[in-house]
Amino acid sequence: MRKAYGKLKKRKKKKEEFNDLLIPILLVLCALPFVIRLAEYSCGYGQYPWYAEEDTILDLYGYGRSIFFEVLTLFTVVVLGFHLFLYPEKRKDSRIFLPLGLYGCAAVCATIFSVNPKASLWGNFYQFQGIFVLLGYLIFAFYTYQILQHERDYRVLWYGLAASSAVLFAVGCFQMFKLDLLDLSWVQRLIMSAEQFDFYGGTMETVFSGNNVFLTLYNPNYAGVFLTMVDSVFFVLCLSEPECKKRLWYGLGLAVGLVLLWFTYSRSVFLSLAAALAAFLWMERKRGRLILKVLLPGLAVMIAGGLLLDYWNDFHFLSRLIDEKKVTQLEAIETAEDGVLLHYGGEVYHISMEEGRPLVRQEGKAGEIRPFAPIQMEVWEEAGLEWLSVAVEGYPFYFGRQENGYFYLTENGKVEQMVKIPHLDFGGLEYLGSGRLYIWSRVLPMLPQYILVGSGPDTFAEVFPQNDYAGKAIYAETTTRIMEKPHNDYLLQWVQNGLAGMLGMVLFYMVYLKQCFAVYGRTKKERFSQRLGYGCFLGCICYMAGSFFNDSTLYTTPLFWVFVGISLAAGREQ
């Protein structure tokens, strides 16, 4: 009897043993979001006329996080190699990942032929998504898929995600009341060196300070992407959990996540949530009446709660739903040998300096014309040169004249020629999406250049026409703004990794969606792994839909690829 009891006890102990192969995934879920360290680095843009001579940048969220992720990826590759070699019987069919092989090869080729090899290797300018980070995303998706074996593995990952989400939710609640933990001196001492604290301590301000919730993810838009993915998991677990007590906890997590999501003031989350909800309703169409009994009251409460929160906050969110229309007749400005060409209101005006005064002629018409109200001009002499100021609709542009012709003096104090930028005409709607249509109107004509090979990871800022000073003055409200991303991950992948890279990623998305729709649409989701995988699948739909308005980032993309691995692994066991 004692021997039998001893064997049973040993068997139970062995059954509850922790799977240490989950550690890399847990570090992505629980540690990566909290890697915050002040770093100073040179972005290398000082060589360009559109950037200031001093190109040293302070970074809190990206630089250290990328190093952490790269080291973790290297460790994960070693562990994965040993696991697949020592336990060949545990290898899973991985043909679904073949399109990602195309994506990875295209990214490597783009790195080899990059316009900035250093940036493509190690990352640059707030994003820090060099080739090692991009490949790391794919490795973690594959690793998560291969490693998950038992029901307890899924529970362990959920406990890790829930714990890190609880901490992030707490940070978000403080930010909701305009209390950023980074403002605390003892926190600042943790995230910077003693020398840096002596210099910056108490003066560090995040880019998105105020009451926008951004968690520890740098940007409220990134926080919105993260919250839509995590809320999807809470949503599924809340609806499918058989135990009432646990269902209440999941419901509380969902409620807090939705409140924080509102305070990110990110509009793209509506598309993400709508896509996930549509997918959910399609897969649960056989339970239509039951689902609608739950969803309709839930949606009504959510909308009423959102309006109440916005009323409490002076309708800050609703006031942002419609972009402020930018009405302008400025089309382009060019510098030439004999003057400045101003494209305005469908006409071209030739402006030059003659005898200490501005001279304006209209192309196709003879004689001088008077400056009109939206155009103000002034001429003066300084440092042995003649200078011309042209204020168009209140925004000033400064030009000088040398022996070889006219030049533009940038706001960074550098000299450059202004040229007409190739772009698509969106009929004056470029201001929509916080200026996203403006960026897309300039990116779309660039795409044919990157059909064979991309510009290289983390080089978008260097190939985008940053010298579009007229366009920036209108839609970015400053000519010094650097467009470091297109706010559309599909366009970003095409430009940086080439058409083949983007197609490889989209093809994987299509195969992934087809397989998961087929699996989760028919399963009853009785096991926890099935419910978690289902929630992760809806979270991935949120990410993919949101990628039409957001970019791949170190703050959200690792979670997405881990979710991909979880949903595929759980679906395989159906």
Side-chain angles (χ1 to χ4, degrees):
M1 185 73 176
R2 288 182 180 177
K3 288 183 179 179
Y5 176 75
K7 288 181 180 179
L8 182 64
K9 192 174 180 181
K10 284 183 180 179
R11 197 179 302 151
K12 186 176 180 181
K13 187 176 180 181
K14 186 176 181 181
K15 186 178 179 182
E16 295 177 352
E17 218 172 49
F18 172 70
N19 182 2
D20 51 12
L21 293 176
L22 298 175
I23 290 177
I25 309 172
L26 288 171
L27 288 174
V28 170
L29 296 177
C30 303
L32 188 63
F34 304 102
V35 178
I36 303 173
R37 185 71 180 175
L38 182 63
E40 300 179 56
Y41 68 96
S42 171
C43 65
Y45 294 167
Q47 61 179 310
Y48 297 112
W50 41 263
Y51 201 83
E53 195 68 37
E54 175 54 55
D55 59 9
T56 299
I57 293 178
L58 295 179
D59 178 86
L60 271 174
Y61 300 100
Y63 188 86
R65 203 168 300 204
S66 68
I67 295 174
F68 178 88
F69 186 73
E70 288 167 349
V71 172
L72 183 58
T73 298
L74 179 61
F75 172 74
T76 304
V77 169
V78 174
V79 173
L80 179 63
F82 275 106
H83 175 76
L84 295 179
F85 177 75
L86 295 175
Y87 305 100
E89 71 280 1
K90 293 184 179 181
R91 296 175 191 167
K92 299 176 183 177
D93 183 7
S94 304
R95 284 174 291 181
I96 191 174
F97 289 95
L98 287 177
L100 293 182
L102 173 62
Y103 172 79
C105 290
V108 170
C109 289
T111 302
I112 294 173
F113 298 100
S114 172
V115 299
N116 186 342
K118 181 181 177 181
S120 294
L121 280 173
W122 307 110
N124 196 17
F125 203 72
Y126 297 121
Q127 301 303 307
F128 295 104
Q129 292 186 112
I131 184 61
F132 300 116
V133 169
L134 296 185
L135 295 179
Y137 295 154
L138 313 185
I139 288 167
F140 267 98
F142 184 73
Y143 180 84
T144 303
Y145 170 71
Q146 290 288 346
I147 292 303
L148 289 175
Q149 300 285 344
H150 306 288
E151 192 75 9
R152 65 177 179 272
D153 294 343
Y154 295 91
R155 291 190 179 276
V156 168
L157 292 188
W158 164 244
Y159 295 149
L161 177 62
S164 63
S165 297
V167 177
L168 288 169
F169 284 7
V171 172
C173 288
F174 278 106
Q175 292 171 348
M176 197 168 65
F177 292 98
K178 303 184 180 181
L179 298 172
D180 192 350
L181 296 180
L182 291 182
D183 292 337
L184 301 176
S185 61
W186 67 269
V187 175
Q188 291 190 3
R189 288 182 184 276
L190 294 175
I191 63 175
M192 61 182 73
S193 66
E195 294 78 11
Q196 290 172 332
F197 181 79
D198 290 338
F199 192 80
Y200 300 110
T203 63
M204 287 296 298
E205 290 187 6
T206 55
V207 176
F208 301 96
S209 58
N211 63 338
N212 288 53
V213 168
F214 61 92
L215 309 179
T216 61
L217 308 178
Y218 173 62
N219 186 319
N221 288 329
Y222 305 156
V225 174
F226 172 87
L227 289 168
T228 56
M229 288 194 286
V230 173
D231 284 345
S232 297
V233 179
F234 276 114
F235 171 73
V236 170
L237 294 180
C238 180
L239 286 182
S240 59
E241 175 58 49
E243 294 184 32
C244 182
K245 187 176 180 180
K246 289 184 179 179
R247 197 183 309 132
L248 289 174
W249 280 108
Y250 296 147
L252 177 61
L254 175 61
V256 174
L258 289 174
V259 170
L260 294 177
L261 189 62
W262 184 272
F263 279 96
T264 63
Y265 302 131
S266 175
R267 294 170 294 176
S268 62
V269 300
F270 289 117
L271 173 66
S272 302
L273 294 177
L277 183 60
F280 175 77
L281 291 175
W282 171 256
M283 287 185 287
E284 302 296 330
R285 59 191 180 279
K286 293 180 181 179
R287 301 166 57 201
R289 290 185 179 179
L290 178 63
I291 293 301
L292 289 178
K293 284 182 180 179
V294 177
L295 280 183
L296 289 181
L299 286 173
V301 170
M302 186 174 71
I303 293 171
L307 293 175
L308 184 62
L309 288 172
D310 217 34
Y311 171 77
W312 172 57
N313 203 35
D314 298 326
F315 294 106
H316 186 80
F317 191 101
L318 293 178
S319 65
R320 296 185 71 251
L321 288 181
I322 301 177
D323 288 301
E324 182 181 352
K325 188 174 183 179
K326 298 181 184 296
V327 180
T328 180
Q329 296 188 65
L330 177 60
E331 299 160 3
I333 302 177
E334 299 176 78
T335 52
E337 184 177 349
D338 58 347
V340 175
L341 299 178
L342 175 64
H343 299 256
Y344 189 88
E347 303 290 344
V348 180
Y349 299 93
H350 183 281
I351 305 173
S352 60
M353 293 181 282
E354 303 291 340
E355 299 178 355
R357 68 182 184 89
L359 180 64
V360 185
R361 297 185 180 90
Q362 188 172 347
E363 293 287 313
K365 296 182 180 180
E368 179 182 357
I369 67 170
R370 289 185 176 184
F372 42 99
I375 311 296
Q376 302 294 323
M377 291 176 285
E378 182 183 354
V379 172
W380 73 96
E381 189 172 330
E382 184 179 332
L385 293 175
E386 287 184 292
W387 296 93
L388 168 66
S389 169
V390 180
V392 184
E393 297 174 355
Y395 201 97
F397 297 88
Y398 298 98
F399 304 93
R401 181 168 61 183
Q402 295 177 327
E403 292 181 359
N404 58 347
Y406 285 73
F407 62 87
Y408 170 62
L409 182 68
T410 72
E411 290 189 52
N412 292 315
K414 294 185 175 181
V415 171
E416 186 170 18
Q417 295 297 316
M418 291 185 74
V419 297
K420 203 170 182 179
I421 305 297
H423 65 280
L424 296 184
D425 185 5
F426 286 162
L429 299 177
E430 285 83 355
Y431 68 92
L432 290 176
S434 300
R436 280 171 169 77
L437 260 65
Y438 158 69
I439 300 176
W440 300 348
S441 71
R442 271 59 179 173
V443 172
L444 290 173
M446 297 165 49
L447 297 181
Q449 304 175 43
Y450 304 109
I451 290 178
L452 296 179
V453 65
S455 64
D458 256 9
T459 59
F460 179 84
E462 295 180 74
V463 296
F464 182 85
Q466 305 288 358
N467 59 338
D468 181 23
Y469 300 108
K472 286 184 178 182
I474 300 167
Y475 300 109
E477 299 179 349
T478 172
T479 61
T480 60
R481 168 81 180 274
I482 303 302
M483 307 301 177
E484 76 274 12
K485 52 188 179 298
H487 294 287
N488 182 306
D489 192 41
Y490 303 100
L491 292 179
L492 179 70
Q493 298 299 337
W494 186 332
V495 171
Q496 294 191 158
N497 299 315
L499 176 60
M502 191 271 287
L503 290 178
M505 184 182 70
V506 171
L507 180 59
F508 172 78
Y509 285 176
M510 293 171 63
V511 176
Y512 168 77
L513 289 171
K514 181 182 178 182
Q515 179 165 320
C516 286
F517 267 119
V519 170
Y520 292 109
R522 68 170 184 263
T523 179
K524 293 183 179 179
K525 307 164 194 73
E526 295 174 344
R527 297 199 303 270
F528 180 81
S529 59
Q530 297 169 339
R531 299 196 294 271
L532 180 63
Y534 188 25
C536 289
F537 172 53
L538 293 182
C540 289
I541 290 178
C542 286
Y543 179 91
M544 290 184 280
S547 292
F548 284 100
F549 299 97
N550 293 293
D551 309 276
S552 167
T553 72
L554 254 173
Y555 312 102
T556 58
T557 306
L559 180 67
F560 165 72
W561 288 109
V562 168
F563 274 21
V564 165
I566 292 174
S567 53
L568 286 175
R572 187 177 181 274
E573 298 173 8
Q574 308 297 337

